[in-house]
Amino acid sequence: MDMLCHRNIDLEATELRLGLPGTSERPITTPRGNKRPLDDFMEGSSTEDGDHLECPSAAPPSKAQIVGWPPIRSYRKNSLQQKKLGNQAETTTRVYVKVSMDGAPYLRKMDLSIYKGYRQLLIALEDMFKFTIGEYSEREGYKGSEYAPTYEDKDGDWMLVGDVPWEMFACSCKRLRIMKGSEARGLTCCL
Amino acid sequence: MSENDRHHPQQNHFCPAETMSEDEDPCRPSPPPPPPPPEPVSKKTRNCAAVHPSPHSDRVLEIVLEHVLQFLTVRRDRNAASLVCKSWYRTEALTRSDVFIGNCYSVSPARVTTRFPRVRSVVIKGRPRFADFNLMPQNWGAHFGPWVATMGKAYPLLERVYLKRMSLTDRDLCLLADSFTKFKDLVLVCCEGFGTSGLAAVASKCRQLRVLDLSDTEVLYDGVDWISCFPEGETCLESLIFDCVECPINFEALESLVVRSPALKKLRLNREVSIGQLYRLVVRAPSLTHLGTGAFGHPEPQDPNDQEMDYGSAFSACKSLVCLSGFREVMPEYLPAIHSICTNLMSLNLSYANIGVEQFKLLIQHCCRLQVLWVLDSVCDEGLQAVAATCRDLRELRVFPLNAQEDVEGPVSEVGLQAISEGCPKLESILYFCQRMTNAAVVAMSNNCPDLVVFRLCIMGRHQPDHITGAPMDEGFGAIVMNCKKLTRLAISGLLTDRAFAYIGRYGKLVRTLSVAFAGDSDTGLKYVLEGCPKLQKLEIRDSPFGDAALLSGLHHYYNMRFLWMSTCQLSQRGCEEVARALPRLAVELLSYEENEEMDNETVDVLYMYRSLQGPRDDAPQFVRIL
């Protein structure tokens, strides 16, 4: 499996692409709800705020909202909306991902939703596996240690942690892998 | 706490706006042409016998009649009495002290004050109910201004004003406060247009104010601290309700007000009031009967002082508490504090409290005397089963959705409805939002709850069939109209064919209010209803395939109705014009959703029509065309 990843990474490195780093080539499609004839006519009322992270695959998209349906007064709707958001903050969809460390006998699992940014995540990783991650720089990746944190994104590609905005990372991260040694160096050299 | 309480919307427990108002009979502005104005009677007083030294025989009769008519309090009886003859008409008009205007545009203020010169209490209703759901463009009308201007001069002794779905300005409230020196009760339900300045005027000038009720009314915060404007010294306040007012509150002023209002029985706080503050109020006013708890939580991290507060004892000291609401930002760990008073409760409103099944069950198990319950569907079917097990006396249930959306998993279903029908046979009124339902459960309810007067079922997915059989919901609603012989109000939803309407027309002989959305196949559906339901007063329809032919089939009945609302149906201007021609006393309003344009010649966005004695109103905005 490792070999496969290597190959993928190597190919990745040489592939030419359009688009910003961190984005996939494949367009992100949002499946549309079935539009009823009336949907076009009515403007949407306040739309349900299901995911502020803009993850198309995270929550099923709702149908276009019909004005005044269901028949609940705005005061009540707004009041309860706030409650739902409040609750979501507490019980957000948890994002558990497997974390593997090269050379470690078993994998771990982490909940990404509890972290607000890379710094917290990296500190947690360092703590969990008792190692030190180097300093991140866009140009050279993680310098100053033999480890590099990587993740597999939705497309199956292995990416270096830290390149894309946190929210984008949190949405697209499927698993984490702390690379070590030559592989890690190989990765940083390529960048 | 009497049974009668529930049937007066103005004395309803929580939100009079959402209660059935149809127990009151419609006010008919007399269909026959108006009789001549009453004779000058300035010398007459209420205690007539004392004043008239040498009455003629017919004057004696009039005096007797006056005395007798004063015993008539029900509107329908008074209307009937006024039609007997001119003398009775005159006398009844002189002795009527409570006037009910079901539609503010059905009659002009001047006409009311001319006919009824001695009014102490007035009820005026404005916008139609569908306006609550943004189906009516803003600024349509229903202004209180003309009314207060006219009444200010005609009724200096006015004591009570109850408004529903009206627009008021600060100036209107100032004028009210200035004009009526003995003013006592102000009840504003689903109103808007004014701010805290207007409230301040009422608070400071109406020295005999007993009731200030702002249920579901929008108040703009313009910086004025209205609570501080109540006069110093003891007040006459019996009821202070501001639970939906989204304004910050000066708590010290509120506390001081509560302390100096010994007659206070009803207090409903808004969510700005934390549980700690609630505690302070409750210990000062243990004789409250109706309490709206405000937040029942606190936004900040817990004040160490809070931990010393014995909420349980504070609440158990309120022995008279029968009606509890609020819980606007509830923290479930505080709920056990009210367990001790649950056994006394007749009404409980948790419809703003997102509490889970277990918490709810712990609470409801104590509420054996409960007659009115409003909850969120977060209590789930299981919670409703607990209600069915405990609240054998339940008369009214409302289940609101936490998540008011289509296409989501809903926590309540036919299971909850079935359980309620089995456990609460005395049920009279139900409003139930759900995502899925079966005919079987609705039929069961029709059989188990024969006392149902109000049945409102909202299956939130449009055109949803019975989710087990896949059939339309016709049979369920059909059973309701067939078996519930006292039914006067019905709201239907789900996949419905013309068959459902056939049932309603055939069996719904007492139905006065009908709400229809996304239902029916053809004109025939509406025809069934218009031809079959002789008591129909209020018909509100949206997004259903009914056209001109159906509209015209109701010509024989429209003068008997309060109003007809049809939005996004298949009406054309021609059809509406024909109705306007046939019925000159009907105000036929066509509303347009497009703000800027002239209306498209053919399609009608909204038809709103109502009988009126006063002809087309002069305050209609651009998007309204009156035929």
Side-chain angles (χ1 to χ4, degrees):
Chain A
M1 219 252 285
D2 273 352
M3 297 292 287
L4 215 56
C5 294
H6 276 281
R7 209 168 290 145
N8 281 345
I9 288 164
D10 286 341
L11 287 171
E12 270 285 300
T14 57
E15 229 173 44
L16 287 176
R17 283 186 173 193
L18 294 173
L20 297 169
T23 59
S24 138
E25 202 179 280
R26 267 168 267 131
I28 296 170
T29 50
T30 311
R32 287 180 173 280
N34 294 325
K35 274 200 160 229
R36 293 191 194 271
L38 296 162
D39 293 7
D40 296 332
F41 185 78
M42 296 290 189
E43 52 183 6
S45 55
S46 59
T47 49
E48 201 35 60
D49 184 17
D51 40 18
H52 14 259
L53 296 183
E54 311 243 300
C55 300
S57 65
S62 47
K63 274 193 208 163
Q65 296 287 307
I66 293 285
V67 170
W69 188 261
I72 305 276
R73 291 220 198 89
S74 331
Y75 175 83
R76 188 178 278 283
K77 241 184 191 153
N78 296 338
S79 221
L80 296 176
Q81 195 107 341
Q82 288 170 25
K83 271 177 214 354
K84 274 200 314 286
L85 288 181
N87 283 353
Q88 274 191 356
E90 286 145 25
T91 61
T92 320
T93 39
R94 300 195 184 270
V95 187
Y96 278 106
V97 296
K98 287 186 193 168
V99 189
S100 63
M101 166 100 151
D102 289 355
Y106 49 82
L107 278 62
R108 301 296 304 271
K109 262 220 165 141
M110 287 179 101
D111 175 12
L112 291 184
S113 67
I114 61 177
Y115 304 113
K116 306 271 188 299
Y118 286 118
R119 206 177 116 73
Q120 288 180 7
L121 173 68
L122 296 174
I123 290 172
L125 283 172
E126 287 180 331
D127 193 51
M128 191 182 261
F129 292 103
K130 307 284 180 278
F131 72 109
T132 325
I133 292 174
E135 276 296 309
Y136 172 78
S137 76
E138 212 176 295
R139 223 161 66 81
E140 296 175 14
Y142 289 88
K143 214 173 139 191
S145 96
E146 53 175 344
Y147 295 100
T150 65
Y151 69 100
E152 183 184 7
D153 74 357
K154 280 202 280 265
D155 303 323
D157 302 319
W158 285 93
M159 320 288 290
L160 186 68
V161 169
D163 287 335
V164 303
W166 170 256
E167 287 76 18
M168 199 186 284
F169 161 77
C171 273
S172 53
C173 172
K174 272 172 43 189
R175 55 186 299 166
L176 282 162
R177 178 183 163 202
I178 319 259
M179 281 188 195
K180 184 180 163 178
S182 55
E183 287 177 47
R185 260 174 272 129
L187 191 62
T188 55
C189 278
C190 284
L191 296 167
Chain B
M1 184 72 206
S2 67
E3 285 291 317
N4 294 331
D5 251 347
R6 247 176 327 104
H7 294 283
H8 292 267
Q10 49 269 40
Q11 290 167 32
N12 182 270
H13 307 168
F14 315 122
C15 308
E18 285 167 0
T19 193
M20 42 185 176
S21 55
E22 294 67 39
D23 292 292
E24 293 174 282
D25 292 301
C27 166
R28 297 155 159 256
S30 43
E39 291 153 5
V41 286
S42 49
K43 293 204 172 54
K44 270 178 93 169
T45 64
R46 284 200 173 195
N47 281 331
C48 309
V51 173
H52 294 268
S54 51
H56 300 158
S57 55
D58 45 324
R59 279 296 298 124
V60 171
L61 280 176
E62 271 187 21
I63 292 164
V64 168
L65 190 59
E66 259 196 46
H67 281 283
V68 168
L69 285 181
Q70 278 169 31
F71 288 100
L72 284 187
T73 48
V74 175
R75 216 163 59 236
R76 196 208 304 224
D77 294 343
R78 284 198 153 262
N79 290 345
S82 73
L83 294 175
V84 168
C85 65
K86 281 186 191 161
S87 165
W88 279 51
Y89 179 92
R90 269 197 307 274
T91 313
E92 191 283 313
L94 288 172
T95 55
R96 191 182 295 217
S97 58
D98 295 20
V99 165
F100 174 89
I101 313 287
N103 175 358
C104 63
Y105 288 121
S106 63
V107 62
S108 70
R111 192 156 175 159
V112 174
T113 56
T114 309
R115 179 175 170 186
F116 302 112
R118 297 187 191 158
V119 168
R120 298 293 164 105
S121 158
V122 92
V123 174
I124 310 175
K125 298 190 181 180
R127 284 179 287 277
R129 199 178 72 98
F130 271 9
D132 291 352
F133 314 126
N134 301 328
L135 289 179
M136 178 172 252
Q138 295 283 343
N139 305 319
W140 172 80
H143 302 290
F144 183 50
W147 290 92
V148 68
T150 308
M151 293 192 304
K153 302 193 186 92
Y155 300 146
L157 299 177
L158 191 69
E159 293 177 357
R160 183 169 184 271
V161 167
Y162 172 109
L163 303 179
K164 186 166 180 179
R165 295 197 184 96
M166 298 281 291
S167 296
L168 303 84
T169 61
D170 288 328
R171 224 166 128 238
D172 295 336
L173 286 173
C174 290
L175 188 56
L176 183 148
D178 286 330
S179 308
F180 308 123
T181 50
K182 301 224 162 154
F183 196 73
K184 294 196 167 75
D185 299 356
L186 182 63
V187 180
L188 303 176
V189 177
C190 297
C191 296
E192 47 80 48
F194 63 98
T196 44
S197 309
L199 287 181
V202 172
S204 58
K205 296 189 189 169
C206 302
R207 299 274 155 150
Q208 298 188 30
L209 196 66
R210 251 186 342 205
V211 172
L212 181 58
D213 178 348
L214 305 168
S215 296
D216 281 312
T217 282
E218 218 179 280
V219 180
L220 258 101
Y221 181 55
D222 56 25
V224 173
D225 175 9
W226 60 284
I227 293 274
S228 304
C229 295
F230 282 93
E232 291 297 318
E234 255 186 33
T235 75
C236 310
L237 269 183
E238 293 175 16
S239 171
L240 181 61
I241 295 174
F242 59 95
D243 49 354
C244 293
V245 170
E246 298 280 280
C247 295
I249 288 288
N250 176 344
F251 182 72
E252 276 66 41
L254 176 63
E255 193 174 8
S256 154
L257 180 63
V258 168
V259 165
R260 62 185 200 279
S261 304
L264 196 66
K265 291 276 173 271
K266 300 186 187 180
L267 179 64
R268 295 208 178 112
L269 309 163
N270 70 5
R271 61 185 175 144
E272 306 285 327
V273 179
S274 72
I275 191 167
Q277 291 171 330
L278 172 68
Y279 175 87
R280 283 162 63 178
L281 295 176
V282 166
V283 298
R284 311 287 201 120
S287 55
L288 287 175
T289 57
H290 295 56
L291 177 64
T293 63
F296 214 73
H298 42 71
E300 312 84 30
Q302 212 174 8
D303 184 350
N305 294 334
D306 279 6
Q307 270 150 346
E308 289 154 27
M309 294 190 199
D310 187 354
Y311 294 112
S313 307
F315 285 111
S316 40
C318 299
K319 305 270 182 231
S320 329
L321 211 53
V322 287
C323 175
L324 199 55
S325 62
F327 307 100
R328 301 286 170 126
E329 309 285 344
V330 66
M331 292 180 170
E333 60 263 33
Y334 291 117
L335 283 175
I338 56 167
H339 285 184
S340 59
I341 45 166
C342 282
T343 35
N344 294 337
L345 286 183
M346 303 280 264
S347 313
L348 179 59
N349 181 353
L350 295 168
S351 66
Y352 289 96
N354 181 4
I355 59 179
V357 185
E358 294 312 316
Q359 286 282 354
F360 178 69
K361 280 162 71 170
L362 284 175
L363 192 59
I364 205 72
Q365 65 182 346
H366 302 288
C367 302
C368 41
R369 283 201 210 140
L370 211 59
Q371 294 193 1
V372 178
L373 176 64
W374 293 18
V375 286
L376 282 180
D377 61 5
S378 59
V379 305
C380 300
D381 284 329
E382 203 183 320
L384 294 176
Q385 286 165 331
V387 173
T390 315
C391 309
R392 317 296 292 182
D393 232 2
L394 200 68
R395 311 295 163 106
E396 179 179 329
L397 174 67
R398 299 198 190 192
V399 180
F400 293 96
L402 178 58
N403 204 347
Q405 247 191 312
E406 306 181 78
D407 286 349
V408 295
E409 266 305 296
V412 300
S413 68
E414 73 277 3
V415 172
L417 192 73
Q418 177 96 24
I420 293 289
S421 78
E422 288 163 8
C424 310
K426 297 191 198 167
L427 201 65
E428 294 172 4
S429 170
I430 183 163
L431 170 61
Y432 198 88
F433 284 86
C434 58
Q435 294 287 353
R436 56 196 192 286
M437 186 49 60
T438 62
N439 281 307
V442 179
V443 171
M445 179 156 271
S446 78
N447 286 320
N448 297 337
C449 304
D451 290 340
L452 273 178
V453 176
V454 173
F455 184 81
R456 299 159 70 190
L457 176 62
C458 183
I459 302 169
M460 289 190 273
R462 287 164 290 148
H463 312 289
Q464 281 280 318
D466 177 323
H467 82 99
I468 291 184
T469 66
M473 292 300 298
D474 299 340
E475 299 308 314
F477 286 105
I480 291 285
V481 282
M482 243 190 282
N483 300 335
C484 302
K485 310 266 193 272
K486 304 181 191 173
L487 197 78
T488 60
R489 181 169 182 183
L490 182 63
I492 61 181
S493 61
L495 180 66
L496 292 164
T497 71
D498 285 344
R499 199 180 159 89
F501 294 93
Y503 282 132
I504 297 172
R506 174 120 184 254
Y507 297 105
K509 296 304 175 187
L510 295 183
V511 169
R512 295 208 292 256
T513 306
L514 180 62
S515 304
V516 177
F518 306 101
D521 301 322
S522 71
D523 284 342
T524 318
L526 182 54
K527 277 189 195 171
Y528 282 135
V529 167
L530 289 171
E531 286 164 7
C533 300
K535 299 278 189 196
L536 195 60
Q537 290 289 309
K538 306 186 207 176
L539 181 53
E540 44 190 30
I541 305 176
R542 66 168 293 183
D543 295 278
S544 300
F546 304 134
D548 297 341
L551 184 66
L552 293 167
S553 69
L555 288 177
H556 64 287
H557 190 60
Y558 293 139
Y559 276 156
N560 297 333
M561 288 177 64
R562 178 86 62 83
F563 70 80
L564 169 65
W565 167 289
M566 287 178 70
S567 58
T568 322
C569 296
Q570 288 168 9
L571 300 171
S572 79
Q573 293 215 347
R574 243 192 308 267
C576 299
E577 280 161 9
E578 212 178 311
V579 173
R581 261 197 303 274
L583 302 174
R585 297 265 197 186
L586 216 55
V588 179
E589 294 196 10
L590 302 186
L591 281 61
S592 170
Y593 285 131
E594 299 299 313
E595 281 186 7
N596 34 7
E597 294 291 298
E598 269 294 307
M599 254 162 276
D600 174 348
N601 257 345
E602 273 321 296
T603 51
V604 169
D605 287 342
V606 183
L607 166 68
Y608 178 55
M609 61 190 211
Y610 50 90
R611 61 190 171 190
S612 173
L613 288 178
Q614 70 168 23
R617 59 191 178 108
D618 56 8
D619 62 356
Q622 277 278 46
F623 57 81
V624 174
R625 184 167 151 228
I626 307 184
L627 300 176

